[in-house]
Every structure is written in structure tokens, then in C-alpha cells.
Amino acid sequence: MSNETNFLAHNQADVEIDLMSILRVLWKNALIIVLVVILALGAGYTYDVFQEVYYRTSGTMMVSFEASNGTISSSTYVLSSYISDTCVVFLKEDVVVDTVAAALKNKGFYEDLTTRQVAKLLKSRISISEDSLILKISFSDTDPKRAVDVVNTFIDTAESVAKSKNEEGASLYKLLDGNLNHLSYSKSSVKVSNSTKTMAISAAIGLVVACGIVFLKVYFSNSLKNVDIEKVL
């Protein structure tokens, strides 16, 4: 038992010595580390400055459902939740997105893009989150006013599509007709800032690169010393 204890104590001491050696090396080369991190932060700041600015906004829709007898029960709530999940999927479908894209083109938005390209853009920037029976539709754009118009157009168009009828006047989406309605429109947008994230990533990369440079410097320095010793011997 004493041998095992001595072995573990010896290993722990070696680890502590190695750790202290590493810390001493880093401390001796602190100037290099600081300079590299500053350069990385500068590069990150430059990258952030030249990044295209986006503005984000959101509006909400509400899923409503009433039982035939007018009373609310647990089964009614479960069915409403099921409809809410269905609405989230429905809002992401081509039948909605393509119709929204066409409506935006008719309003004069994204004149340099085709309707198909607008639909693709919507799919990449629109996000739909669900909170109970409330659906939050969010969108980002380089134009703050256009972002607001896109969200509001999306809400109106989605509600209209959900109420679509066939030639006989029957509802195409019986489960959604009358159950998917706008709750609040977007009124303004806010600037999306990733500056903190960019600077944090830049600092982390700078620190890793700086440590790598220091250890390479120490490695080559030791290698040269060994070569000189061999020549003397």
C-alpha cells in the first residue's frame, strides 16, 4: 500500500512540476500572447465592422379552437395543441411561403429577385417558434422597414391561405380554417448585433494561436540547444 501511495504521490508531483513549467513558459512569453490576442481582436473588430447589418422583427399569430358545445376541457386543449403543431408545419410549407413570396413581389419588394428566389430567402430567414397556442413569426433583413412589411405580409397571407376554398366553396384546410388568426403585427425592428460573439471567438482563436506560437518557439529553441550540445560532444 505504501508503494502505491508513493507512486501516486510521485506522479502527482510530476504533474504539478509540468504544470508549473508550462505556466512559467507562458508567463515568460506573455508579451507575445498579448500581442497576438490584440491582433486577433483587431481582426475580429474589422470583420464585424464590414459585416452587413441585419434588422430583426417579429409578429404573432394565435391558434384558436372551440369545442362544439362551447366548453373548454382537457381534450379540447389537447386538440388545440395538436392544431398548433400542425400550424407550425403549415406555415413552413411551400403553399404558404410561395404565396407570401408572390405577394411581396406584387408589393414591389425584392425587385432584383425572382419569386422562387424570394421564397428561398424567406425559408432561410423566417423562424417560427411556438409558445402554447401563440406562434411567433420572426424575420431578419438588411432593411428595417422591409423586415416589418415581410412579417406582416407573411401573417396576413398565411391567414388567408388557411381559409382557402375549393371551387365548390369547401375549405381546403378544414383543420386550420378559422383557427389560425393574426394576434399582433410587427411595428418596428431591432438591429441584430453579433459583436460580442465575434470578439469572444476572436479572443479565443488569438489565445490558441498565441499559445501555439509560444510552444513552437520553445520547442525549436530546445532543439537548437540539443544540436549545439551534440556538436560540442
Side-chain angles (χ1 to χ4, degrees), residues 100-146:
V100 174
L104 289 171
K105 289 290 291 180
N106 289 336
K107 290 183 177 182
F109 295 112
Y110 302 110
E111 294 181 347
D112 55 331
L113 300 177
T114 64
T115 302
R116 189 64 246 166
Q117 289 173 325
V118 174
K120 187 176 181 181
L121 180 145
L122 289 174
K123 284 190 172 183
S124 65
R125 295 187 191 171
I126 280 276
S127 65
I128 302 168
S129 57
E130 179 184 1
D131 184 5
S132 187
L133 302 180
I134 305 298
L135 306 180
K136 183 178 181 181
I137 293 90
S138 302
F139 181 74
S140 299
D141 197 272
T142 54
D143 185 329
K145 184 180 182 303
R146 186 169 60 189

Side-chain angles (χ1 to χ4, degrees), residues 42-57:
Y45 176 78
T46 303
Y47 171 81
D48 186 65
V49 167
F50 287 99
Q51 278 290 92
E52 199 167 18
V53 178
Y54 279 86
Y55 298 86
R56 192 163 186 81
T57 187

Side-chain angles (χ1 to χ4, degrees), residues 29-43 206-207 209-210 213:
N29 295 274
L31 181 60
I32 294 176
I33 295 173
V34 171
L35 288 176
V36 173
V37 171
I38 290 174
L39 287 174
L41 287 172
L207 187 60
V209 171
I213 292 173

